[in-house]
Amino acid sequence: MKRFVAALTATLLLWAQPAQAQSILRDAETETMFAEMSGPLITAAGLSPRDVKVVLINDDSINAFVAGGQTVYVHSGLLQAADNANEVQGVIAHELGHIADGHVVLSDRGTKPAMGMYLLSMVLGLAAMAAGSGEAGAGIMAAGQQAAMGNYLAFSRTQESTADASGAKYLREANVTGRGMLSFFKKLQQQEYRFGTANIDPFMQSHPLSGERVSALTADLQASPAWANRPDAALEERFRRVKAKLAGYVLPAPRTLQSYPPSDQSIYAHYARAYAYHKSGYPDKADAEADALVKAKPDDPYFLEIKGQILLEAGRPVESLVPLREATEGSRNNPLIATTFGHALIATENKANYPEATKVLRTAVGRDDQNPFAWMQLGTVYELTGDTARAALATAERASMGGDMRTASASARYALANIPANTPDWIRAQDIAMAAQNEMDDNPKQYKRRR
């Protein structure tokens, strides 16, 4: 019986939560775009832009989701499928509806009744089997599983419809047109048509069918004073750039070059080809595309960033310093760009550059402490300059972020023993050591020492 219960639990969880195995893609310009397009919507939802994050996931499927907390996860495939920034805003508005309406927190209201129905059918089915009615018992259990899943999916569809309505409200209150929300749902509807709507059981879907969503939303979105608003030109330009560079990064190079052939001399094509050539091992071609970007806009920090990144990863760190320093300054010390600059300073293997690297990287982690690569680079420069205590603290930060509490605890305790007491770094080491120890104490089996 435990196996049957575990099977249904796993099935419900697969419906309730998207896969978590995808990798997160971090890019300064993309995160800036997400902040610009989501900020007014987050405020309209009664949330704080400081607390809500929109994160890009490397997955070519057309999807977005929330999975706890106040983070919206957007698949790279969704950005590639979207025709404009407003379509992405419509998706984000919907996901914010899940956050503001507390759907993740309330998910137990869907899973618990479904589990109860399933367990009851298991008891009745097993009783029938014990009485000699094996076929009847199996039928009872199968019907129970079907009913439980149907109950959960009905709950999920209700949440999705509620999030649609909330998203439409946030678009209206943020004075953002809902045209993109409708056009994106129509895209999904076309996918359903290609699959064949006759083959889709609407009662076995976690979302309402896209045609139903379009019908339910059209009147409200068109009645909004924002319906006739023109798209934000600056945001649309940012979206086209991000979409092009993302294509260069995530798509196979031949496909990128087919979409952005060398004959295309637009900014977007140069951007896409720079990444495509760079990841394919053509540094000279990548460098030429980056040069074209910088020539077009010499002060653009993101163009300077890709120029410096290509030089750095081609084994030319000294040459990368000028564009990366300018990119860092031009982006007002964006922590992702600053981390690349700090990495370049270390990669020169010139001791004279280590103090600047330390300063740059400390600023970067101070503004974004959820970047394991930045902590690794900071730990490296501390080690190179003989500050083993703070190198250990950086290791503790990175280990804690990755869930390696044993390493976090040991490294933090070394830092505690060697950093002057009651300084900010000493206090941080103490916090990590205590949190790691508490985690290990609460989960003794997981952290049992191997012999």
Side-chain angles (χ1 to χ4, degrees):
M1 180 172 177
K2 289 182 179 178
R3 282 192 309 225
F4 287 114
V5 174
L8 180 71
T9 303
T11 304
L12 290 176
L13 287 175
L14 283 173
W15 281 102
Q17 298 181 8
Q20 296 296 306
Q22 307 100 319
S23 62
I24 291 176
L25 296 177
R26 298 210 60 190
D27 170 70
E29 186 173 17
T30 302
E31 292 183 4
T32 298
M33 178 194 74
F34 279 146
E36 291 173 351
M37 66 169 49
S38 67
L41 299 170
I42 293 169
T43 301
L47 304 169
S48 170
R50 291 175 298 180
D51 298 329
V52 180
K53 305 297 179 188
V54 183
V55 173
L56 183 64
I57 296 289
N58 188 6
D59 190 306
D60 62 3
S61 61
I62 303 173
N63 194 23
F65 61 93
V66 294
Q70 296 190 21
T71 302
V72 175
Y73 296 92
V74 176
H75 286 198
S76 57
L78 189 147
L79 286 188
Q80 291 299 311
D83 288 329
N84 52 61
N86 189 231
E87 289 189 344
V88 182
Q89 283 182 299
V91 173
I92 291 174
H94 167 88
E95 298 302 333
L96 290 173
H98 284 303
I99 294 174
D101 295 338
H103 289 169
V104 175
V105 176
L106 298 175
S107 62
D108 280 355
R109 295 187 182 180
T111 55
K112 285 183 177 179
M115 184 63 70
M117 293 173 65
Y118 184 73
L119 290 175
L120 178 60
S121 70
M122 285 291 301
V123 171
L124 296 176
L126 290 173
M129 289 180 176
S133 301
E135 187 174 336
I140 292 171
M141 287 190 285
Q145 182 175 358
Q146 185 80 359
M149 185 59 69
N151 181 274
Y152 172 77
L153 291 174
F155 173 82
S156 177
R157 289 193 298 274
T158 299
Q159 285 195 324
E160 295 299 333
S161 296
T162 302
D164 283 348
S166 295
K169 175 186 174 184
Y170 305 151
L171 288 165
R172 181 177 65 252
E173 293 183 356
N175 199 33
V176 175
T177 179
R179 291 178 185 271
M181 176 178 266
L182 279 188
S183 63
F184 199 81
F185 281 149
K186 288 177 180 178
K187 276 189 178 69
L188 299 180
Q189 187 178 22
Q190 290 300 316
Q191 286 194 329
E192 292 169 1
Y193 286 152
R194 285 196 293 271
F195 180 77
T197 52
N199 298 320
I200 300 176
D201 181 353
F203 298 106
M204 290 306 292
Q205 306 303 310
S206 60
H207 292 59
L209 293 180
S210 299
E212 297 175 6
R213 301 171 82 174
V214 169
S215 297
L217 287 168
T218 297
D220 284 344
L221 291 172
Q222 290 182 344
S224 168
W227 175 256
N229 287 355
R230 292 187 175 185
D232 184 321
L235 185 59
E236 186 60 30
E237 170 68 11
R238 177 83 73 198
F239 170 78
R240 293 183 67 186
R241 285 173 46 156
V242 165
K243 184 173 179 177
K245 72 192 292 187
L246 180 63
Y249 185 78
V250 302
L251 298 180
R255 185 173 164 189
T256 301
L257 296 176
Q258 184 178 17
S259 300
Y260 299 93
S263 58
D264 185 347
Q265 292 297 300
S266 67
I267 286 292
Y268 319 111
H270 286 304
Y271 224 173
R273 291 196 299 267
Y275 276 91
Y277 286 138
H278 179 51
K279 74 174 187 179
S280 300
Y282 295 96
D284 291 341
K285 289 184 177 182
D287 198 32
E289 299 292 351
D291 283 342
L293 292 170
V294 174
K295 182 178 180 180
K297 294 189 175 182
D299 297 326
D300 190 298
Y302 306 112
F303 293 168
L304 290 164
E305 177 195 21
I306 183 58
K307 170 70 176 175
Q309 182 183 349
I310 289 169
L311 290 169
L312 172 61
E313 294 177 6
R316 299 154 65 185
V318 175
E319 295 174 62
S320 76
L321 295 183
V322 170
L324 287 175
R325 181 178 282 109
E326 292 178 4
T328 302
E329 293 170 354
S331 66
R332 299 181 180 179
N333 292 305
N334 178 281
L336 293 178
I337 297 177
T339 296
T340 304
F341 178 39
H343 175 41
L345 288 165
I346 296 170
T348 63
E349 299 183 354
N350 184 343
K351 293 181 180 180
N353 289 329
Y354 294 166
E356 184 179 10
T358 303
K359 180 181 178 181
V360 167
L361 290 165
R362 279 192 70 97
T363 301
V365 297
R367 298 184 64 180
D368 178 8
D369 62 0
Q370 296 301 304
N371 185 347
F373 183 70
W375 285 114
M376 183 178 73
Q377 293 302 310
L378 184 57
T380 298
V381 75
Y382 277 140
E383 193 72 38
L384 289 170
T385 54
D387 193 344
T388 57
R390 286 179 175 79
L393 177 56
T395 298
E397 292 277 9
R398 187 159 55 95
S400 177
M401 200 179 310
D404 182 359
M405 294 305 164
R406 187 173 286 113
T407 298
S409 176
S411 298
R413 291 187 184 283
Y414 178 86
L416 268 176
N418 292 280
I419 292 175
N422 300 318
T423 60
D425 285 342
W426 185 90
I427 293 171
R428 180 57 186 159
Q430 185 181 56
D431 289 344
I432 295 174
M434 291 177 63
Q437 190 60 53
N438 288 341
E439 173 68 18
M440 291 191 290
D441 290 344
D442 290 343
N443 299 280
K445 292 183 179 179
Q446 180 179 348
Y447 293 98
K448 183 179 180 181
R449 288 193 175 277
R450 297 181 180 87
R451 295 183 180 179

